[in-house]
């Protein structure tokens, strides 16, 4: 619960100081990990119920919701190898065991299935150029720009 509260406190600050002012100016806002990440990461193996997470989300996010969410999906083991080849170190979440990462993957896929009008799953095992092309196509299609 403490982790979920900390994530939501940071999100509240991020929304009020950066996201909302940008939206008021008519800008497009891109976020790396937003509400779905909290829904998934804090629910998997942490004991925080989905209803508690949704209640926190409603308080913190309110009407500031994404128009489109790109879910980059790939086998977690392949992604670990990719990160190692780039020389990146693992963060707190990435150091967790394989069952955690499989549960996270399932969680994101479940959100995408439940909210198909907002979520687009992209096969992240493709080349960077292919992933980028699919991401841009999805954004253009969903936002009409």
């Amino acid at each position: 619960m403490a982790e979920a509260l900390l994530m939501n406190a940071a999100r509240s600050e991020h929304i009020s100081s950066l996201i909302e002012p940008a939206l008021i100016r008519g800008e497009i806002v891109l976020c790396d990990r937003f509400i779905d990440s909290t829904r998934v990461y804090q629910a998997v193996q942490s004991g925080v119920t989905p209803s508690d997470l949704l209640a926190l989300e409603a308080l913190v996010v309110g009407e500031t919701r994404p128009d489109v969410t790109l879910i980059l999906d790939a086998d977690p083991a392949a992604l670990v190898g990719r990160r190692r080849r780039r020389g990146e170190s693992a963060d707190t979440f990435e150091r967790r065991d394989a069952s955690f990462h499989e549960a996270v993957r399932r969680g994101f896929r479940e959100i995408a299935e439940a909210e198909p009008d907002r979520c687009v799953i992209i096969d992240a095992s493709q080349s960077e150029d292919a992933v980028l092309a699919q991401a841009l196509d999805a954004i253009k299609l969903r936002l009409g720009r």
Side-chain angles (χ1 to χ4, degrees):
M1 179 59 81
E3 191 174 82
L5 291 169
L6 288 169
M7 294 295 178
N8 277 288
R11 178 158 301 117
S12 178
E13 174 62 23
H14 190 223
I15 289 170
S16 65
S17 67
L18 294 172
I19 294 174
E20 286 177 343
L23 292 173
I24 289 167
R25 292 189 302 269
E27 297 174 6
I28 293 174
V29 177
L30 300 176
C31 292
D32 176 20
R33 302 190 179 185
F34 196 61
I35 57 177
D36 300 317
S37 293
T38 302
R39 286 183 195 174
V40 172
Y41 280 89
Q42 271 61 61
V44 173
Q45 297 179 348
S46 69
V48 182
T49 67
S51 61
D52 286 342
L53 291 169
L54 290 173
L56 285 169
E57 179 182 305
L59 288 169
V60 170
V61 177
E63 297 299 314
T64 308
R65 306 241 167 219
D67 294 314
V68 63
T69 298
L70 306 177
I71 296 176
L72 304 182
D73 180 61
D75 175 48
L79 298 177
V80 168
R82 184 183 288 177
R83 188 182 65 248
R84 285 184 184 146
R85 284 190 298 280
R86 288 193 305 245
E88 295 175 7
S89 59
D91 67 20
T92 299
F93 295 108
E94 292 165 339
R95 284 193 292 269
R96 295 183 182 175
D97 66 24
S99 66
F100 172 82
H101 294 288
E102 286 297 335
V104 165
R105 184 181 191 192
R106 277 191 308 277
F108 278 113
R109 293 184 72 83
E110 288 169 5
I111 289 171
E113 290 170 14
E115 299 184 49
D117 291 339
R118 176 176 63 87
C119 298
V120 177
I121 296 176
I122 296 175
D123 179 359
S125 66
Q126 303 175 87
S127 71
E128 290 178 15
D129 290 339
V131 170
L132 175 60
Q134 284 188 357
L136 292 174
D137 287 346
I139 291 167
K140 288 175 191 173
L141 178 67
R142 298 297 173 101
L143 298 182
R145 320 179 196 195

